[in-house]
Amino acid sequence: MEPAPDSPILLFDSGLGGLSVLAELRRELPDAPIIYAADIAGLPYGEKTEAEIAARVAGLLGRMSERFGPRLICIACNTASTIALGMVRNVLHVPIVGTVPAIKPAAAVTQTGTIGLLGTAATIRQAYVDDLEARFAADNRLIRYAAPGLVGAAETKLRGGRPDDAVFADAIAGLRRQPDGENIDTVVLACTHFPLVEEELRAAIGPEVTFIHGAEGIARRIASLTLGQQFQRNGPDRAIATGEIDSALVNTLAQYGLENVAQF
Ligand code: DGL
């Protein structure tokens, strides 16, 4: 059955990282009604256990599906996707698009064969990432580094604050100081928060390294899964958030066209 024209696409993240996906999605599907969901009360996911993340994500997405009847859910969070994608797909009868580390496209562009991967602590230890590495980067060297400080830095920047430059330098140094780290020519930004601080990471790593993230590919995937469907917006796009909604959050969301913010 075709979804109702005003049935939204629900984009879910632990915080503001999914806005990097929202920007690309709007380019692909300018007329699609979107609800942006931020689990601010659960942020950061990267420091939680697998069981905590899976329970939280499945519970919230179940309740959000019932409330908003989305036509599709995008888990715009690498941490939640690499842990809970399979489980959420098993329990919800809605198409679910995940966000997983862009190792395949990175393997296609690296010249040195040495790829860096920045993610949260929870993401970089996932079997899902081992599997992507084995399938798409077996002939390359993949150097992983957990950079949880970048999540807070992106949140600070988006809310109008000034993150500490040392966080960016530390993330890059964490890759470079590992064996072969000096040969890295491509870095996978394996957390949706990280493209939001790409400029700062670029300043820390220099011009010669290519950054790869999945946002464009995810937006294209959502467009192909909703091809031929009708879209109708009954007002500006909405955001929902767990936890406290302060004025900095409201202002940031408004800059992304999310003018109606409610607690969930
Ligand atoms: N944005 C999330 C991701 O893509 C992680 C942020 C967090 O630690 O909550 O992994």
Side-chain angles (χ1 to χ4, degrees), residues 50-63:
E50 281 73 359
E52 283 172 319
I53 295 165
R56 205 169 169 98
V57 172
L60 280 170
L61 289 180
R63 284 167 48 218

Side-chain angles (χ1 to χ4, degrees), residues 13-18 39 42-47 76-81 99 119-121 123 148 151 155 190-194:
D13 183 37
S14 54
L16 299 177
D39 182 15
L43 183 81
Y45 281 4
E47 304 299 297
C77 173
N78 287 259
T79 312
S81 298
T99 310
T120 65
T123 295
V151 175
E155 290 280 327
C191 168
T192 51
H193 279 79
F194 299 175

Side-chain angles (χ1 to χ4, degrees), residues 13-179:
D13 183 37
S14 54
L16 299 177
L19 295 175
S20 62
V21 177
L22 175 66
E24 294 299 333
L25 185 56
R26 283 252 177 71
R27 258 190 277 280
E28 282 289 332
L29 295 176
D31 300 325
I34 292 168
I35 296 183
Y36 185 82
D39 182 15
I40 307 275
L43 183 81
Y45 281 4
E47 304 299 297
K48 292 186 159 49
T49 65
E50 281 73 359
E52 283 172 319
I53 295 165
R56 205 169 169 98
V57 172
L60 280 170
L61 289 180
R63 284 167 48 218
M64 288 174 182
S65 296
E66 267 172 35
R67 178 90 66 91
F68 302 107
R71 71 181 70 206
L72 179 146
I73 293 173
C74 171
I75 305 182
C77 173
N78 287 259
T79 312
S81 298
T82 54
I83 292 169
L85 193 54
M87 173 180 175
V88 172
R89 279 195 177 129
N90 285 341
V91 294
L92 294 183
H93 300 289
V94 181
I96 316 267
V97 173
T99 310
V100 301
I103 292 173
K104 187 181 177 187
V109 304
T110 180
Q111 297 285 316
T112 61
T114 306
I115 301 168
L117 184 146
L118 293 173
T120 65
T123 295
I124 69 160
R125 66 173 180 253
Q126 292 314 308
Y128 202 118
V129 181
D130 300 341
D131 181 57
L132 290 174
E133 179 179 356
R135 282 166 61 206
F136 302 118
D139 299 332
N140 298 305
R141 186 178 176 90
L142 185 75
I143 299 178
R144 307 180 195 184
Y145 186 67
L150 295 178
V151 175
E155 290 280 327
T156 301
K157 177 184 172 183
L158 256 73
R159 290 162 193 253
R162 180 148 171 43
D164 181 358
D165 282 342
V167 173
F168 307 109
D170 286 350
I172 300 304
L175 287 174
R176 287 290 194 207
R177 69 168 168 257
Q178 295 187 52

